[in-house]
Coordinates of all heavy atoms in Angstrom, one line a residue:
I161 N -49.3 -23.2 -16.2 CA -49.0 -22.6 -14.9 C -47.5 -22.6 -14.6 O -46.9 -21.6 -14.2 CB -49.7 -23.4 -13.8 CG1 -51.2 -23.2 -13.9 CG2 -49.3 -22.9 -12.4 CD1 -52.1 -24.1 -13.0
R162 N -46.8 -23.7 -14.9 CA -45.4 -23.8 -14.8 C -44.7 -22.7 -15.6 O -43.8 -22.0 -15.2 CB -44.9 -25.2 -15.2 CG -43.4 -25.4 -15.2 CD -42.9 -25.3 -16.5 NE -41.4 -25.5 -16.6 CZ -40.6 -25.1 -17.5 NH1 -41.1 -24.4 -18.6 NH2 -39.3 -25.3 -17.5
N163 N -45.1 -22.5 -16.9 CA -44.5 -21.6 -17.8 C -44.7 -20.1 -17.2 O -43.8 -19.3 -17.3 CB -45.1 -21.7 -19.2 CG -44.6 -22.9 -19.9 OD1 -43.6 -23.6 -19.4 ND2 -45.3 -23.3 -20.9
A164 N -45.9 -19.8 -16.7 CA -46.1 -18.5 -16.2 C -45.2 -18.2 -15.0 O -44.7 -17.1 -14.8 CB -47.6 -18.4 -15.7
I165 N -44.9 -19.3 -14.2 CA -44.0 -19.1 -13.0 C -42.6 -18.9 -13.5 O -41.9 -18.1 -13.0 CB -44.2 -20.4 -12.1 CG1 -45.5 -20.3 -11.4 CG2 -43.0 -20.4 -11.1 CD1 -45.8 -21.6 -10.7
V166 N -42.2 -19.7 -14.5 CA -40.8 -19.7 -14.9 C -40.5 -18.4 -15.7 O -39.4 -17.8 -15.5 CB -40.4 -20.9 -15.8 CG1 -39.1 -20.7 -16.5 CG2 -40.5 -22.2 -15.0
H167 N -41.4 -18.0 -16.6 CA -41.1 -16.9 -17.5 C -41.6 -15.5 -17.0 O -41.1 -14.5 -17.4 CB -41.7 -17.2 -18.9 CG -41.2 -18.4 -19.5 ND1 -39.8 -18.6 -19.8 CD2 -41.8 -19.6 -19.8 CE1 -39.6 -19.8 -20.3 NE2 -40.8 -20.4 -20.4
Q168 N -42.7 -15.5 -16.1 CA -43.2 -14.3 -15.6 C -43.2 -14.2 -14.1 O -43.8 -13.4 -13.5 CB -44.7 -14.1 -16.1 CG -44.8 -13.6 -17.5 CD -44.8 -14.8 -18.5 OE1 -45.4 -15.8 -18.2 NE2 -44.2 -14.7 -19.7
N169 N -42.4 -15.1 -13.5 CA -42.4 -15.2 -12.0 C -43.7 -15.3 -11.4 O -44.0 -14.9 -10.3 CB -41.6 -13.9 -11.5 CG -41.2 -14.1 -10.0 OD1 -40.9 -15.2 -9.6 ND2 -41.3 -13.0 -9.3
G170 N -44.7 -15.9 -12.1 CA -46.0 -16.1 -11.6 C -46.9 -14.9 -11.8 O -48.1 -15.0 -11.4
Q171 N -46.4 -13.8 -12.3 CA -47.2 -12.6 -12.5 C -48.1 -12.9 -13.7 O -47.6 -13.2 -14.8 CB -46.3 -11.4 -12.7 CG -45.3 -11.2 -11.7 CD -45.9 -10.6 -10.4 OE1 -46.9 -9.9 -10.4 NE2 -45.2 -10.9 -9.3
I172 N -49.4 -12.7 -13.5 CA -50.3 -13.0 -14.6 C -51.5 -12.1 -14.6 O -52.1 -11.9 -13.5 CB -50.7 -14.5 -14.6 CG1 -51.6 -14.8 -15.8 CG2 -51.4 -14.8 -13.3 CD1 -51.8 -16.3 -16.0
T173 N -51.9 -11.5 -15.7 CA -53.0 -10.6 -15.8 C -53.9 -11.0 -17.0 O -53.5 -12.0 -17.7 CB -52.6 -9.1 -16.1 OG1 -52.0 -9.0 -17.4 CG2 -51.6 -8.7 -15.0
F174 N -55.0 -10.4 -17.2 CA -55.9 -10.8 -18.2 C -55.3 -10.6 -19.6 O -55.8 -11.2 -20.6 CB -57.2 -9.9 -18.2 CG -57.0 -8.5 -18.5 CD1 -57.1 -8.0 -19.8 CD2 -56.6 -7.6 -17.5 CE1 -57.0 -6.6 -20.1 CE2 -56.5 -6.2 -17.8 CZ -56.6 -5.8 -19.1
Q175 N -54.2 -9.9 -19.7 CA -53.5 -9.7 -21.0 C -52.6 -11.0 -21.3 O -52.2 -11.1 -22.5 CB -52.6 -8.5 -20.9 CG -53.4 -7.2 -20.8 CD -52.5 -6.0 -20.6 OE1 -51.4 -6.1 -20.1 NE2 -53.0 -4.9 -21.1
H176 N -52.3 -11.8 -20.4 CA -51.5 -13.0 -20.6 C -52.3 -13.9 -21.5 O -53.5 -14.1 -21.4 CB -51.2 -13.7 -19.3 CG -50.2 -14.8 -19.4 ND1 -50.5 -16.1 -19.9 CD2 -48.9 -14.8 -19.1 CE1 -49.5 -16.8 -19.8 NE2 -48.4 -16.1 -19.4
K177 N -51.6 -14.6 -22.5 CA -52.3 -15.4 -23.5 C -53.0 -16.6 -22.9 O -54.0 -17.1 -23.5 CB -51.2 -15.9 -24.5 CG -50.1 -16.8 -24.0 CD -49.1 -17.1 -25.1 CE -48.0 -18.0 -24.6 NZ -48.5 -19.3 -24.2
D178 N -52.6 -17.1 -21.8 CA -53.2 -18.2 -21.1 C -54.0 -17.9 -19.9 O -54.5 -18.7 -19.2 CB -52.1 -19.2 -20.7 CG -51.4 -19.8 -21.9 OD1 -52.0 -20.1 -22.9 OD2 -50.1 -20.0 -21.8
Y179 N -54.3 -16.6 -19.7 CA -55.0 -16.1 -18.5 C -56.4 -16.7 -18.4 O -56.8 -17.2 -17.3 CB -55.1 -14.6 -18.5 CG -55.9 -14.1 -17.3 CD1 -55.3 -13.9 -16.1 CD2 -57.3 -13.8 -17.4 CE1 -56.0 -13.5 -15.0 CE2 -58.0 -13.4 -16.3 CZ -57.3 -13.2 -15.1 OH -58.0 -12.8 -14.0
K180 N -57.1 -16.7 -19.5 CA -58.5 -17.2 -19.4 C -58.5 -18.7 -19.0 O -59.3 -19.1 -18.1 CB -59.2 -17.1 -20.8 CG -60.6 -17.5 -20.8 CD -61.3 -17.2 -22.1 CE -62.8 -17.6 -22.1 NZ -63.4 -17.4 -23.5
E181 N -57.7 -19.5 -19.6 CA -57.7 -20.9 -19.2 C -57.2 -21.1 -17.8 O -57.7 -22.0 -17.1 CB -56.8 -21.7 -20.2 CG -56.9 -23.2 -20.1 CD -56.1 -23.9 -21.2 OE1 -55.6 -23.2 -22.1 OE2 -56.1 -25.1 -21.2
I182 N -56.1 -20.4 -17.4 CA -55.6 -20.6 -16.1 C -56.6 -20.1 -15.0 O -56.8 -20.7 -14.0 CB -54.3 -19.8 -15.9 CG1 -53.2 -20.5 -16.8 CG2 -53.8 -19.7 -14.5 CD1 -51.9 -19.8 -16.8
N183 N -57.3 -19.0 -15.3 CA -58.3 -18.4 -14.4 C -59.5 -19.4 -14.3 O -60.0 -19.5 -13.2 CB -58.7 -17.1 -14.9 CG -59.6 -16.3 -13.8 OD1 -59.1 -16.2 -12.7 ND2 -60.8 -15.9 -14.2
T184 N -59.9 -20.0 -15.4 CA -60.9 -21.0 -15.3 C -60.6 -22.2 -14.4 O -61.4 -22.6 -13.6 CB -61.3 -21.5 -16.7 OG1 -61.7 -20.5 -17.5 CG2 -62.4 -22.6 -16.7
F185 N -59.3 -22.6 -14.5 CA -58.8 -23.6 -13.6 C -58.9 -23.2 -12.1 O -59.3 -23.9 -11.2 CB -57.4 -24.0 -14.0 CG -56.8 -25.0 -13.0 CD1 -57.0 -26.4 -13.2 CD2 -55.9 -24.6 -12.0 CE1 -56.4 -27.3 -12.3 CE2 -55.4 -25.5 -11.2 CZ -55.6 -26.9 -11.3
F186 N -58.5 -21.9 -11.9 CA -58.5 -21.3 -10.6 C -59.9 -21.4 -10.0 O -60.1 -21.8 -8.8 CB -58.0 -19.9 -10.6 CG -58.5 -19.0 -9.5 CD1 -58.3 -19.3 -8.2 CD2 -59.3 -17.9 -9.9 CE1 -58.8 -18.5 -7.2 CE2 -59.9 -17.1 -8.9 CZ -59.6 -17.4 -7.5
L187 N -60.9 -21.0 -10.8 CA -62.3 -21.0 -10.3 C -62.8 -22.4 -9.9 O -63.6 -22.5 -9.0 CB -63.2 -20.4 -11.4 CG -62.9 -18.9 -11.7 CD1 -63.8 -18.4 -12.9 CD2 -63.2 -18.0 -10.5
K188 N -62.3 -23.4 -10.6 CA -62.7 -24.7 -10.3 C -61.9 -25.4 -9.2 O -62.3 -26.4 -8.6 CB -62.6 -25.6 -11.6 CG -63.5 -25.2 -12.7 CD -63.3 -26.1 -13.9 CE -64.3 -25.8 -15.0 NZ -64.0 -26.6 -16.2
N189 N -60.7 -24.8 -8.9 CA -59.8 -25.4 -7.9 C -59.3 -24.4 -6.9 O -58.1 -24.4 -6.6 CB -58.7 -26.1 -8.6 CG -59.1 -27.2 -9.5 OD1 -59.3 -28.3 -9.2 ND2 -59.2 -26.8 -10.8
S190 N -60.2 -23.5 -6.4 CA -59.8 -22.4 -5.6 C -59.2 -22.8 -4.2 O -58.5 -22.1 -3.6 CB -60.9 -21.5 -5.3 OG -62.0 -22.1 -4.7
K191 N -59.4 -24.1 -3.8 CA -58.9 -24.6 -2.5 C -57.4 -24.8 -2.6 O -56.7 -24.8 -1.6 CB -59.6 -25.8 -2.1 CG -61.0 -25.6 -1.7 CD -61.6 -26.9 -1.1 CE -63.1 -26.7 -0.7 NZ -63.7 -27.9 -0.2
I192 N -56.8 -25.1 -3.8 CA -55.4 -25.4 -3.9 C -54.6 -24.3 -4.5 O -53.4 -24.5 -4.6 CB -55.2 -26.7 -4.6 CG1 -55.8 -26.7 -6.1 CG2 -55.9 -27.9 -3.9 CD1 -55.6 -27.9 -6.9
W193 N -55.2 -23.3 -5.0 CA -54.4 -22.2 -5.5 C -55.3 -21.0 -5.8 O -56.5 -21.1 -5.8 CB -53.7 -22.6 -6.8 CG -54.4 -22.4 -8.1 CD1 -55.7 -23.0 -8.3 CD2 -54.1 -21.7 -9.2 NE1 -56.1 -22.6 -9.6 CE2 -55.1 -21.8 -10.2 CE3 -53.0 -20.9 -9.6 CZ2 -55.1 -21.3 -11.4 CZ3 -52.9 -20.4 -10.8 CH2 -54.0 -20.5 -11.8
N194 N -54.7 -19.8 -6.0 CA -55.5 -18.6 -6.4 C -54.6 -17.6 -7.1 O -53.4 -17.8 -7.2 CB -56.3 -18.0 -5.3 CG -55.3 -17.5 -4.1 OD1 -54.2 -17.1 -4.4 ND2 -55.8 -17.6 -2.9
I195 N -55.2 -16.5 -7.6 CA -54.4 -15.5 -8.2 C -54.6 -14.2 -7.4 O -55.7 -13.7 -7.3 CB -54.9 -15.3 -9.7 CG1 -54.7 -16.5 -10.5 CG2 -54.1 -14.1 -10.3 CD1 -55.2 -16.4 -11.9
Q196 N -53.5 -13.7 -6.9 CA -53.5 -12.4 -6.2 C -52.4 -11.5 -6.8 O -51.3 -11.4 -6.2 CB -53.3 -12.6 -4.7 CG -54.5 -13.3 -4.0 CD -54.3 -13.4 -2.5 OE1 -53.4 -12.9 -2.0 NE2 -55.1 -14.2 -1.9
N197 N -52.6 -11.0 -8.0 CA -51.6 -10.3 -8.8 C -50.6 -11.3 -9.3 O -49.9 -11.1 -10.3 CB -50.9 -9.2 -8.0 CG -51.8 -8.1 -7.6 OD1 -52.7 -7.8 -8.3 ND2 -51.7 -7.6 -6.4
E198 N -50.4 -12.4 -8.7 CA -49.6 -13.5 -9.2 C -50.1 -14.8 -8.6 O -50.9 -14.9 -7.8 CB -48.1 -13.3 -8.7 CG -47.9 -13.5 -7.2 CD -46.4 -13.4 -6.9 OE1 -45.7 -14.4 -7.0 OE2 -45.9 -12.3 -6.6
I199 N -49.6 -15.9 -9.2 CA -50.1 -17.2 -8.9 C -49.6 -17.6 -7.5 O -48.5 -17.5 -7.1 CB -49.6 -18.3 -9.9 CG1 -50.2 -18.0 -11.3 CG2 -49.8 -19.7 -9.4 CD1 -49.6 -18.8 -12.4
I200 N -50.6 -18.0 -6.7 CA -50.3 -18.5 -5.3 C -50.7 -19.9 -5.2 O -51.9 -20.3 -5.4 CB -51.1 -17.6 -4.2 CG1 -50.7 -16.2 -4.3 CG2 -50.8 -18.2 -2.8 CD1 -49.2 -15.9 -3.9
L201 N -49.7 -20.8 -4.9 CA -50.0 -22.2 -4.9 C -50.2 -22.6 -3.4 O -49.4 -22.3 -2.5 CB -48.8 -23.0 -5.4 CG -48.4 -22.7 -6.9 CD1 -47.3 -23.6 -7.3 CD2 -49.6 -22.9 -7.8
K202 N -51.3 -23.3 -3.2 CA -51.7 -23.7 -1.8 C -51.4 -25.2 -1.6 O -51.1 -26.0 -2.5 CB -53.2 -23.4 -1.6 CG -53.6 -22.0 -1.7 CD -55.0 -21.8 -1.4 CE -55.5 -20.3 -1.5 NZ -56.9 -20.1 -1.2
D203 N -51.6 -25.6 -0.3 CA -51.5 -27.0 0.1 C -52.5 -27.8 -0.7 O -53.7 -27.5 -0.7 CB -51.7 -27.2 1.6 CG -51.5 -28.6 2.0 OD1 -50.9 -29.4 1.3 OD2 -51.9 -29.0 3.1
G204 N -52.0 -28.9 -1.4 CA -52.9 -29.7 -2.2 C -52.6 -29.6 -3.7 O -52.9 -30.5 -4.5
F205 N -51.9 -28.5 -4.1 CA -51.6 -28.3 -5.5 C -50.6 -29.3 -6.0 O -50.7 -29.9 -7.0 CB -51.2 -26.9 -5.8 CG -50.9 -26.6 -7.3 CD1 -52.0 -26.3 -8.1 CD2 -49.6 -26.7 -7.8 CE1 -51.7 -26.1 -9.5 CE2 -49.4 -26.5 -9.1 CZ -50.4 -26.2 -10.0
L206 N -49.5 -29.5 -5.2 CA -48.5 -30.4 -5.6 C -49.0 -31.8 -5.7 O -48.6 -32.6 -6.6 CB -47.3 -30.3 -4.7 CG -46.5 -29.0 -4.7 CD1 -45.4 -29.0 -3.7 CD2 -46.0 -28.6 -6.1
Q207 N -49.9 -32.2 -4.8 CA -50.5 -33.5 -4.8 C -51.3 -33.7 -6.0 O -51.4 -34.7 -6.6 CB -51.3 -33.7 -3.5 CG -50.5 -33.8 -2.2 CD -50.3 -32.4 -1.6 OE1 -50.3 -31.4 -2.3 NE2 -50.1 -32.4 -0.3
Y208 N -52.0 -32.6 -6.4 CA -52.8 -32.6 -7.6 C -51.9 -32.8 -8.9 O -52.3 -33.6 -9.7 CB -53.6 -31.3 -7.8 CG -54.3 -31.1 -9.1 CD1 -55.7 -31.5 -9.2 CD2 -53.7 -30.5 -10.2 CE1 -56.4 -31.3 -10.3 CE2 -54.4 -30.3 -11.4 CZ -55.7 -30.7 -11.4 OH -56.4 -30.6 -12.6

Side-chain angles (χ1 to χ4, degrees):
I161 293 170
R162 176 262 181 200
N163 288 344
I165 290 171
V166 171
H167 301 299
Q168 284 87 36
N169 194 33
Q171 305 287 331
I172 184 169
T173 67
F174 68 91
Q175 296 176 327
H176 190 281
K177 62 184 180 66
D178 295 322
Y179 177 82
K180 183 176 180 180
E181 189 172 356
I182 291 176
N183 191 54
T184 298
F185 175 84
F186 153 64
L187 294 174
K188 294 179 180 179
N189 301 275
S190 58
K191 290 184 178 180
I192 59 176
W193 85 306
N194 60 33
I195 299 176
Q196 296 182 8
N197 298 321
E198 70 175 270
I199 294 171
I200 300 294
L201 303 182
K202 299 181 179 182
D203 183 16
F205 183 82
L206 295 180
Q207 293 87 336
Y208 174 91

